[in-house]
Amino acid sequence: MRALGMMTLGMALLTSGCSFTTAGGLSECVTSSDCGTNSVCTAGFCLPQPAGCGQVVGATSAANTIALGALVPLTNRSGNAEIEQQRLNGLKLALDEVNALEGVGGRQFVMYICDTQADVETAKTQARWLVNDKQAVAVFSAGSAQTIGISSITIPKGVLLMSHTATSAAFTSLEDKNNGTVGLVWRTTPSDALQGRVIADVLRGTTVINDPGVTFTPPNKVGVAYVNDTYGQGLYSALLDRLTTKTLDGAQYERGGDVTGAVTRLVNFKPDLTVLAGFTEDNARLLPQAATAGVSVTNNNRWFLTDASKDPTLLTSLGSNKNEIVGAYGTAPASARPNDSTYKLFADRFNTAYKVDPGQFSFTAHAYDAMYVVTLGAAYAVGNDLANPQPVTGTRIAEGLTKMTPAAGQTVNSYPLGPVAFTGARDELRQGKVINVRGASGDLDFNSETGEAPSPYELFKVESTGFRTLQLITPPAD
């Protein structure tokens, strides 16, 4: 009788939203509002929340939600990373659209967002919390080095890892099947082995630039200022392999670190053109130092950008040095495709929601597509018997991803990713059928073994207020 009374009192406290401390020092809770500012309610107890993981979006008040995670560097050494916020907005827009269509199998999605501050070890700590405490079945990640680091946490746990910006060629051979039959690391972005081919063809003059009134003269001496991680190393390696008729020299630096050594190397090399294979915050520091030291447009150097620097923040951060890159060219996996109906619908909805042109930032469309294919993979996981739904796991979602690219010669229904066709694609996948999907970022013809999809690239030009896409380029076969 006494035990029953204590149980009744405990239930009353929980129901009222109050919390009390157990003998082990843990506070019991019903929702996270019962916990302090640095704790979250997990399995009925207030547990520490990793720094940077306070934001939750999606169907936060719905029951029986499917938990997702996002590990993104919303801040870095230089402050807020606007480009990462816009990519996160791509994820959030798709999430809201899917939830508005009742999710999958009657279940909606919730996403826990962690700011990794561009630090791999921080991201790994946050990943452990997402998969262990929040039971996330899929995690979205930004950046090659960060995603590879996180994969060591997610793969053994059977959690799907999807990246919308990781482009390192190292992913192609990643061991990610966890003793199963399907890989657990996927991306909506193509390998930098392809971007290296595109850049090399432009710099050799093999690809003619469609810029009326401007003649591009191929350089003889090419400098590559690259961040010392799998992203920068991969691009530099790809250019070394393909620009064999040019004189090439690399200048590496640590992300967020001192760029003086890289600048000195460029000064000594005296390039005709310098490829900036790094992130916005580092390029915004490296370029002015290099220009001051003599590696500048006035001294016959030209700049060439890669995907990580298709970011209007670079222009504002450079201040008076902006003129160094106005008129420069760059490449990125194609996002801005104004003549494509799937992209146009995405861009219109993005602009309406966030008052920003997504085409001014690289990988916004790839983020939008990443969320859609993961939620469609979850539809496959649920199965066709809604009275007896199957568990939604990372492995089952990955199996669903393999159903989105038909075999050569196979006739299937094709669906553009977005709110208009989502329910049709969802219903076919629940039945275990193979479909074809077309993303805002292009055709997503996934390789089921490597978890990646090839993509056309855009050649863009830097203007005083942003970026203008000049043409789309299909990467040449190796």
Side-chain angles (χ1 to χ4, degrees):
M1 189 74 173
R2 176 180 171 82
L4 179 60
M6 289 299 294
M7 184 181 297
T8 303
L9 173 60
M11 290 301 296
L13 286 170
L14 289 176
T15 303
S16 67
C18 298
S19 63
F20 60 90
T21 304
T22 67
L26 294 176
S27 295
E28 296 189 358
C29 58
V30 175
T31 68
S32 293
S33 62
D34 300 330
C35 305
T37 55
N38 295 319
S39 299
V40 290
C41 189
T42 303
F45 295 95
C46 293
L47 298 178
Q49 174 180 275
C53 292
Q55 190 178 167
V56 187
V57 297
T60 55
S61 60
N64 195 28
T65 53
I66 298 170
L68 307 173
L71 295 165
V72 286
L74 297 174
T75 59
N76 52 49
R77 181 178 174 179
S78 301
N80 293 329
E82 176 69 14
I83 191 169
E84 296 295 345
Q85 181 60 58
Q86 298 308 330
R87 293 164 179 170
L88 177 60
N89 284 342
L91 291 173
K92 290 164 62 177
L93 177 63
L95 179 69
D96 289 344
E97 291 173 356
V98 168
N99 280 339
L101 294 167
E102 303 303 320
V104 298
R107 299 176 65 185
Q108 295 178 303
F109 295 88
V110 64
M111 183 167 67
Y112 299 89
I113 300 168
C114 295
D115 173 16
T116 68
Q117 299 179 23
D119 182 80
V120 173
E121 291 306 313
T122 297
K124 290 166 72 173
T125 297
Q126 294 166 340
R128 291 187 187 95
W129 176 73
L130 286 173
V131 301
N132 294 330
D133 295 332
K134 306 315 293 179
Q135 301 295 301
V137 295
V139 173
F140 299 92
S141 177
S144 296
Q146 176 177 293
T147 304
I148 289 177
I150 293 166
S151 72
S152 66
I153 309 299
T154 57
I155 293 171
K157 291 289 186 177
V159 173
L160 182 90
L161 183 59
M162 171 65 76
S163 182
H164 50 282
T165 70
T167 55
S168 170
F171 285 87
T172 303
S173 57
L174 192 65
E175 295 290 338
D176 64 340
K177 291 187 178 180
N178 196 31
N179 298 317
T181 59
V182 62
L184 290 165
V185 180
W186 292 68
R187 56 181 172 181
T188 52
T189 52
S191 165
D192 274 329
L194 301 181
Q195 183 167 201
R197 298 175 196 174
V198 172
I199 295 173
D201 279 1
V202 171
L203 299 189
R204 288 186 301 210
T206 304
T207 296
V208 178
I209 297 177
N210 182 21
D211 191 9
V214 178
T215 300
F216 177 78
T217 303
N220 294 313
K221 296 179 68 178
V222 178
V224 183
Y226 67 96
V227 61
N228 187 28
D229 67 9
T230 55
Y231 169 68
Q233 294 162 2
L235 275 174
Y236 181 48
S237 176
L239 292 175
L240 279 173
D241 288 343
R242 300 189 75 86
L243 289 177
T244 55
T245 62
K246 307 289 184 183
T247 304
L248 203 71
D249 195 26
Q252 73 174 28
Y253 55 87
E254 300 301 321
R255 184 170 185 179
D258 186 6
V259 297
T260 303
V263 169
T264 299
R265 185 140 184 169
L266 290 174
V267 170
N268 292 336
F269 181 58
K270 298 181 176 60
D272 302 328
L273 180 145
T274 302
V275 178
L276 294 173
F279 299 93
T280 299
E281 64 270 21
D282 291 324
N283 288 335
R285 292 182 296 114
L286 184 146
L287 192 149
Q289 286 190 39
T292 299
V295 182
S296 63
V297 172
T298 56
N299 286 329
N300 300 315
N301 174 70
R302 292 167 290 169
W303 303 95
F304 194 97
L305 307 186
T306 61
D307 48 40
S309 282
K310 191 188 179 192
D311 176 3
T313 304
L314 177 62
L315 293 169
T316 56
S317 298
L318 287 174
S320 60
N321 286 291
K322 178 176 72 173
N323 290 332
E324 282 288 318
I325 60 169
V326 170
Y329 300 115
T331 57
S335 284
R337 300 182 304 126
N339 296 325
D340 181 88
S341 59
T342 305
Y343 174 80
K344 190 174 187 308
L345 178 60
F346 153 71
D348 288 347
R349 292 177 66 80
F350 191 102
N351 208 322
T352 299
Y354 305 111
K355 306 299 185 289
V356 171
D357 175 7
Q360 290 299 303
F361 299 86
S362 59
F363 301 125
T364 51
H366 296 82
Y368 182 79
D369 290 346
M371 178 61 72
Y372 262 105
V373 295
V374 166
T375 55
L376 285 172
Y380 169 86
V382 168
N384 201 35
D385 184 0
L386 295 184
N388 184 32
Q390 299 301 301
V392 177
T393 66
T395 299
R396 289 279 292 163
I397 294 174
E399 290 172 0
L401 292 173
T402 69
K403 303 292 185 181
M404 297 182 204
T405 302
Q410 184 178 10
T411 301
V412 300
N413 290 326
S414 184
Y415 296 93
L417 295 180
V420 175
F422 175 75
T423 56
R426 175 186 65 190
D427 293 347
E428 285 213 54
L429 284 166
R430 277 186 37 233
Q431 297 169 39
K433 295 181 179 180
V434 175
I435 64 172
N436 189 39
V437 296
R438 303 189 314 276
S441 64
D443 292 331
L444 292 169
D445 295 327
F446 287 112
N447 181 320
S448 294
E449 287 299 312
T450 63
E452 60 191 22
S455 168
Y457 281 78
E458 59 178 294
L459 180 70
F460 61 83
K461 184 175 185 177
V462 183
E463 299 183 329
S464 60
T465 58
F467 306 93
R468 178 165 58 93
T469 299
L470 298 179
Q471 66 205 75
L472 300 183
I473 301 171
T474 300
D478 200 2

